[in-house]
Amino acid sequence: MALAKARASRMSRTSRAVRIARTAGTGAVALAAAALFAAPAASAADGHRGSDSRAHRGSSTVFVQTDDTTANSVVAYERAADGTLGQKGVYRTGGKGGVLAGTVADHLASQGSLAYDRHNQLLYAVNAGSDTVTVFAVHGTQLRRVQELSSGGQFPVSVTFHGDRVYVANALGGGSIQGFARTGERLVKVPSWHRELGLATTASAVGQISFTPDGSKLVVTTKAAGQSIDVFPVSRHGGPSARPVVTSLPGAVPFGFDFDSAGRIHVTEAGTNSVGTFAVARDGALTAKGTVATGQTATCWAVTAAGNVYVSNAVSGTVSGYRVGAQGKLTALGNTATDAGTVDAAASSDGRYLYVQTGIKGIVDEFRVDKNGSLTEIGSVVVPGAVGGEGIVAG
């Protein structure tokens, strides 16, 4: 009886994947079936598992990617009641990290190389050196590697999801995005959800990819010769528009971004060391709402927490905070020092804590977000094998 139920469940998942692929116009029946039944066997090489399997659906976890060029890994931490972190396990992705030429603190030169689907308890990680993306199932602070598959391009640097759609941005070879349909714990690549960005082929082209909060659009920041914010409206079947709505920002070098509660985008502009705020129209057009200079150097990453925006300044070794006001106006809260090489950051889901990666020594700095938006340092952890690494998410 149990065997029959298991077979029925698998057949149902396979049928769903086939329907998604056909709806998207791919006819990829074989691809869907192969993806569903090609799960790697768990082994000791997958990582040292943590001891706590009873954590409440990842609500007190932080995951950090090492971007190790020999064996990319995700390090799992449990958050204590005071916000400090304790290491629980190290889990190999099955792929390799990558290093862009000329980078020191930020080997991927991107934001969002990890994405955490708290609702479905899945973690997505890019393997830039292998041109793949890995799917983990999350069980508290324990990870189970489910799948590793092609990213659909060269040097994947950022991943995003909404519902059962997952998209990866590839930074080299002119830049591209590739979409996947999720069925259960697994992804199926949808060939018709691929878009070439047509950017410079000799440099890192993409800063970040992310769905808008309502899932109706994909936003991509382009660097190097592009220097634009590209918005792809997404159809009800999950595919992106044939061409994006492009907002060109020459000289600004748009890099990382996050959304506030009103759906506005706050974008770091590395070329001018500033933060730009934009409203997103229904058709994907952007309206500028203001720009503030950080007064710092290498302003490249952004995260929102408790009505504030915090941006990382890699060369200055600081985080700049801003209160988001009416119409998205930003009011400076001041700069907070971090360890050297400030890169990606993540806020806890309750907005009470901020965790900042620093790439020179592979340290994550821990901060409490005070009621007035200021940051109070509460500790730090050294992430094993994470010098130059990027990618951090928090529960």
Side-chain angles (χ1 to χ4, degrees):
M1 186 68 177
L3 179 61
K5 287 183 177 180
R7 286 175 176 170
S9 177
R10 280 195 177 188
M11 290 178 65
S12 175
R13 293 200 305 270
T14 304
S15 298
R16 183 172 181 271
V18 170
R19 289 198 302 272
I20 292 170
R22 284 175 173 167
T23 302
T26 67
V29 176
L31 174 66
L36 281 170
F37 295 110
S43 70
D46 290 344
H48 306 291
R49 298 190 176 190
S51 60
D52 182 7
S53 61
R54 298 171 296 173
H56 299 292
R57 295 188 62 79
S59 62
S60 59
T61 53
V62 173
F63 299 109
V64 184
Q65 183 168 246
T66 68
D67 197 43
D68 190 303
T69 56
T70 301
N72 189 23
S73 300
V74 174
V75 184
Y77 293 89
E78 184 175 47
R79 187 176 79 237
D82 64 357
T84 57
L85 301 179
Q87 184 179 319
K88 290 296 181 179
V90 179
Y91 302 88
R92 294 185 181 179
T93 65
K96 298 179 180 180
V99 181
L100 288 168
T103 59
V104 178
D106 57 334
H107 289 168
L108 301 184
S110 70
Q111 179 169 319
S113 62
L114 278 183
Y116 183 20
D117 182 347
R118 298 179 184 89
H119 178 73
N120 292 293
Q121 288 298 281
L122 295 172
L123 182 71
Y124 305 108
V126 301
N127 303 299
S130 302
D131 297 338
T132 60
V133 58
T134 295
V135 183
F136 287 104
V138 180
H139 304 277
T141 55
Q142 297 182 8
L143 300 180
R144 174 173 52 85
R145 195 176 76 213
V146 175
Q147 184 183 22
E148 182 189 0
L149 70 167
S150 169
S151 69
Q154 298 178 39
F155 208 85
V157 295
S158 188
V159 58
T160 186
F161 67 91
H162 190 274
D164 59 4
R165 295 163 290 168
V166 177
Y167 274 81
V168 176
N170 300 287
L172 296 182
S176 65
I177 65 172
Q178 175 64 58
F180 303 82
R182 180 184 60 79
T183 175
E185 295 180 338
R186 305 184 65 78
L187 300 182
V188 178
K189 184 190 294 184
V190 182
S192 65
W193 293 359
H194 181 91
R195 297 291 181 271
E196 294 289 334
L197 298 178
L199 303 168
T201 59
T202 58
S204 173
V206 177
Q208 183 183 354
I209 186 171
S210 180
F211 276 101
T212 54
D214 65 0
S216 66
K217 301 169 189 69
L218 280 164
V219 180
V220 181
T221 49
T222 74
K223 307 176 294 179
Q227 298 193 27
S228 64
I229 304 174
D230 297 355
V231 180
F232 291 86
V234 177
S235 74
R236 64 185 181 90
H237 297 304
S241 57
R243 294 181 179 81
V245 178
V246 177
T247 299
S248 182
L249 299 171
V253 191
F255 194 109
F257 60 90
D258 204 355
F259 300 90
D260 63 24
S261 59
R264 293 176 292 253
I265 308 176
H266 301 281
V267 183
T268 58
E269 299 174 349
T272 55
N273 295 308
S274 57
V275 186
T277 300
F278 300 85
V280 188
R282 182 172 297 180
D283 64 357
L286 301 184
T287 301
K289 292 296 184 179
T291 302
V292 295
T294 64
Q296 305 294 290
T297 306
T299 302
C300 295
W301 296 265
V303 62
T304 57
N308 309 308
V309 177
Y310 299 95
V311 300
S312 298
N313 309 295
V315 173
S316 298
T318 59
V319 171
S320 300
Y322 298 90
R323 173 70 68 182
V324 181
Q327 304 303 313
K329 181 180 179 181
L330 300 183
T331 301
L333 298 171
N335 300 315
T336 303
T338 69
D339 280 286
T342 319
V343 289
D344 211 347
S348 60
S349 56
D350 59 10
R352 295 176 60 194
Y353 301 101
L354 185 70
Y355 301 97
V356 182
Q357 275 184 297
T358 63
I360 297 300
K361 294 184 178 180
I363 294 173
V364 169
D365 290 331
E366 308 157 345
F367 297 95
R368 183 179 68 246
V369 180
D370 297 321
K371 289 183 178 180
N372 63 0
S374 63
L375 300 177
T376 299
E377 185 176 1
I378 56 176
S380 64
V381 292
V382 178
V383 183
V387 172
E390 287 179 283
I392 183 169
V393 291

